[in-house]
Amino acid sequence: MQPSDVKALLESRIDDCQFHIQGEGCNFQVVAVGDVFEGLSPVKRQQLIYSALSDEIASGALHAISIKTYTPSQWEQSPENAGV
């Protein structure tokens, strides 16, 4: 899979969220920014992303995924935002 494939999958399955994907093969780093994360615990945020990719994880198309999630206000204050 390519980063663009992972991004397209997430965009089609989670509304009103912006995704920044890095990686290759079956190992990816996902940064997700959206109002959908407002009020959710870190675990619930991770579960939302994992559930959107559950078929690809189960099939082995995706193996290792690192996930960081932000609300838009958290993203504006994040040092990671400077490089994206």
Side-chain angles (χ1 to χ4, degrees):
M1 292 191 86
Q2 296 297 317
S4 58
D5 299 327
V6 176
K7 183 175 183 177
L9 287 170
L10 287 169
E11 287 176 342
S12 71
R13 297 173 182 171
I14 301 175
D15 293 331
D16 301 322
C17 201
Q18 182 180 18
F19 298 98
H20 307 280
I21 315 294
Q22 292 183 329
E24 61 185 6
C26 58
N27 301 309
F28 293 92
Q29 298 80 45
V30 175
V31 175
V33 181
D35 289 324
V36 67
F37 301 118
E38 193 70 51
L40 294 180
S41 71
V43 171
K44 293 290 185 193
R45 292 176 179 203
Q46 299 267 328
Q47 288 173 338
L48 182 67
I49 302 296
Y50 277 119
S51 67
L53 298 172
S54 61
D55 290 344
E56 290 73 23
I57 293 168
S59 74
L62 292 175
H63 175 66
I65 303 172
S66 166
I67 300 171
K68 294 183 182 180
T69 58
Y70 301 93
T71 63
S73 60
Q74 290 171 329
W75 180 243
E76 284 192 21
Q77 299 172 20
S78 170
E80 273 192 286
N81 186 18
V84 176

